[in-house]
Amino acid sequence: MSTGPGADSAPAPKPSTPTDSPPARGTMFSSLKIRNYRLFASGAVISNTGTWMSRITQDWLVLGLTGSATAVGITTALQFLPMLLFGLYGGVIADRYSKRGILLCTQTALGLCGLALAALTLSGHVQVWHVYLIAFLLGMVTVVDTPARQAFVMEMVGPNDLRNAVSLNSANFQSARLVGPAVAGVLITAVGSGWAFLLNGLSFTAPLIGLLMMRTGELHSVDRAPRGKGQLREGLRYVAGRPELIWPIVLVGFIGTFGFNFPIWLTAFADDVFHAGPGTYGLLNTLMATGSLTGALLAARRGTSRLRMMVGAALVFGLLEIVAALTPSFWAFAALMVPIGVFGLTFNVTANSSVQLATDPSMRGRVMSLYMMVFVGGTPIGGPLVGWATDTYGARAGFIAGGVVSALAALTVGLVLMRVGGLRVRLDLRRGQRPVRLVPRAGSAPAEAGGGAAPAAGELGPVGPAGPAAPSAAKPAAEGGPTPGGGTAPDDGPAGSRRTGKPLAKTV
């Protein structure tokens, strides 16, 4: 929420025996049955609320100190810039050391940053450079905290509940987004900014207590990357050689950089297009957060992470942005914020869980650090570009541009994945049939996720190293269950370097 140095070549794959049975649809809150994850989620909802309080208060404080919106933008850029510059190194650290131990350190550091800003503000000595410095320090801590937190979810819940847990993490964050800004507004008005910072700093005691109370024996064992040279290059080569990883990350990069610039667009629409005040801006954000929360809860009910869902959600997200940009009515525009939030969050959850499930456990930190680097680290690049387009050509043109880039990126990545997977679109207008389906392309062999020889195009079922898998005693290991040696099977997804043999066509 992850990586380390090693050999210059990827570890040799260890095949496991897959099964052809689809994962069962879980309940919306199935991950909360796991004690360790329940502790993690309980602490996260408190610290996330504090984080949202701090974000709003920080921007308001900088605006009050400088009177400059540019200064607010600098603060945001300083907080995200470390992820762009050093994100991959954070993944190396997360793969090398205990993720729980890393989180104990990073959550403590985040809390201390909040308390330092609270002390400066309450004492009346705060200056804008103090805020800049603390924002940069927060960004540096996040470089390590984010990949470790993302990868730690798998250790808590295992592969079968990963998608549900990722969805609930998003629901957790969006719930805090609904509550935190409102609480911050009340505190700023009633007692001042310093008290909001103080509560944010103290809020990190909740995840620390949760981490300390976890039963480490119940965590899913994961091989750590040994110390050595070349692990950063190893991680990049690992991703580059796997289409089920590189193309979702490419799509995440485009949409994160150009499609998620809502602070710029919504402030411009509220002020320049609809000639309204900050209350309207708050309403639009609330509606989008409501849609995001709904999308997270709906995603928690789904039992699979298919790349076609990721691409479809990204495409609809981009098209909805274009429609919203062209909408003349304020209430129609406001109503569209809800489905935009739903499909944006669906894309995020599906991409995140698909990438994690397709990654070897010892590489997950590096892969997720790259994922978060392109998603979050693109903000300092996309924000100024989108802001310039919005200022130069108007709010509608800026919003349309973001939607067009998102939709075109989704179409391009979707076509590439279909080609690599040996698939084509088939239309069937007969009654009782799905009108649009993906079917094997005649005469082509879909690429096998994780590399190696691909099965024939017609063999869409999982194929092991010695042919089609038969039900056997190895089934629990293939599904991430207990292995004869204890712990859990190293394979944890449909397409890792310790691959199941499942062709890419089955994950698209």
Side-chain angles (χ1 to χ4, degrees):
M1 268 158 193
S2 350
T3 7
D8 278 345
S9 60
K14 297 180 182 179
S16 61
T17 306
T19 65
D20 198 18
S21 56
R25 180 184 293 268
T27 61
M28 185 176 290
F29 303 104
S30 59
S31 296
L32 293 177
K33 298 175 183 177
I34 301 169
R35 180 180 183 274
N36 285 339
Y37 180 75
R38 197 161 58 244
L39 290 169
F40 177 85
S42 300
V45 73
I46 296 173
S47 65
N48 283 339
T49 301
T51 297
W52 275 108
M53 289 168 52
S54 181
R55 286 186 183 181
I56 299 299
T57 308
Q58 174 183 275
D59 292 347
W60 188 262
L61 175 64
V62 171
L63 191 62
L65 289 172
T66 65
S68 168
T70 301
V72 177
I74 291 173
T75 308
T76 303
L78 285 171
Q79 198 159 336
F80 288 116
L81 190 60
M83 181 62 74
L84 178 63
L85 298 178
F86 311 113
L88 291 175
Y89 294 97
V92 170
I93 294 171
D95 272 346
R96 187 184 297 174
Y97 300 104
S98 161
K99 295 172 184 61
R100 178 171 169 269
I102 290 173
L103 292 175
L104 285 168
C105 295
T106 57
Q107 294 294 299
T108 299
L110 292 171
L112 290 175
C113 286
L115 294 175
L117 189 53
L120 288 167
T121 307
L122 289 171
S123 65
H125 293 99
V126 67
Q127 299 179 35
V128 69
W129 71 268
H130 294 144
V131 185
Y132 286 167
L133 176 60
I134 291 176
F136 184 76
L137 291 175
L138 287 169
M140 289 298 295
V141 176
T142 303
V143 164
V144 181
D145 179 82
T146 298
R149 185 159 27 90
Q150 294 272 343
F152 189 54
V153 175
M154 174 69 85
E155 293 188 24
M156 288 185 289
V157 304
N160 292 337
D161 285 310
L162 177 65
R163 181 188 175 87
N164 181 263
V166 170
S167 302
L168 292 183
N169 284 349
S170 298
N172 187 320
F173 188 75
Q174 296 302 328
S175 299
R177 182 181 174 186
L178 290 172
V179 176
V183 175
V186 172
L187 287 173
I188 293 170
T189 303
V191 293
S193 299
W195 292 99
F197 291 133
L198 178 62
L199 289 180
N200 173 50
L202 294 175
S203 72
F204 286 95
T205 58
L208 287 172
I209 292 171
L211 289 166
L212 291 170
M213 290 178 63
M214 286 184 181
R215 297 170 181 162
T216 56
E218 295 179 6
L219 295 174
H220 292 250
S221 61
V222 172
D223 294 336
R224 295 184 201 167
R227 295 181 65 91
K229 295 181 180 180
Q231 274 190 303
L232 191 58
R233 294 192 300 273
E234 178 190 3
L236 292 174
R237 282 199 298 269
Y238 178 86
V239 172
R242 288 161 173 77
E244 73 278 6
L245 295 180
I246 185 63
W247 290 109
I249 289 176
V250 167
L251 183 55
V252 163
F254 273 100
I255 292 184
T257 301
F258 299 103
F260 278 96
N261 292 285
F262 293 105
I264 296 172
W265 293 323
L266 297 188
T267 50
F269 266 84
D271 186 30
D272 299 334
V273 177
F274 299 120
H275 308 292
T280 298
Y281 173 64
L283 173 63
L284 295 175
N285 274 283
T286 299
L287 289 170
M288 182 167 291
T290 302
S292 298
L293 178 59
T294 302
L297 294 175
L298 290 174
R301 291 185 60 85
R302 286 191 289 270
T304 58
S305 293
R306 301 295 292 271
L307 294 180
R308 68 186 68 179
M309 172 68 74
M310 177 196 71
V311 172
L315 177 60
V316 175
F317 172 78
L319 294 176
L320 284 172
E321 288 192 334
I322 297 171
V323 172
L326 297 173
T327 299
S329 164
F330 167 75
W331 290 111
F333 180 86
L336 283 169
M337 293 301 103
V338 176
I340 287 175
V342 170
F343 283 97
L345 202 286
T346 300
F347 163 72
N348 281 343
V349 168
T350 308
N352 187 305
S353 54
S354 296
V355 168
Q356 288 209 53
L357 284 168
T359 304
D360 186 279
S362 65
M363 302 292 293
R364 190 168 289 120
R366 278 161 284 185
V367 173
M368 292 312 296
S369 68
L370 178 62
Y371 178 97
M372 294 306 298
M373 186 185 77
V374 301
F375 184 56
V376 177
T379 300
I381 298 173
L385 289 175
V386 170
W388 172 81
T390 301
D391 287 339
T392 305
Y393 300 105
R396 294 191 187 277
F399 206 1
I400 288 173
V404 167
V405 171
S406 298
L408 288 178
L411 281 173
T412 302
V413 169
L415 291 173
V416 169
L417 288 172
M418 285 173 56
R419 181 176 180 82
V420 172
L423 300 172
R424 65 178 179 84
V425 176
R426 184 167 74 183
L427 299 178
D428 190 341
L429 302 181
R430 293 175 297 174
R431 292 186 62 181
Q433 300 292 326
R434 281 190 298 174
V436 180
R437 287 192 299 165
L438 293 180
V439 298
R441 196 168 55 239
S444 66
E448 184 180 347
E459 295 175 354
L460 285 177
V463 179
S472 70
K475 179 177 178 179
E479 295 179 347
T483 61
T488 57
D491 173 49
D492 56 314
S497 71
R498 302 180 181 189
R499 63 187 183 270
T500 62
K502 182 176 287 188
L504 179 61
K506 291 293 286 183
T507 68
V508 175

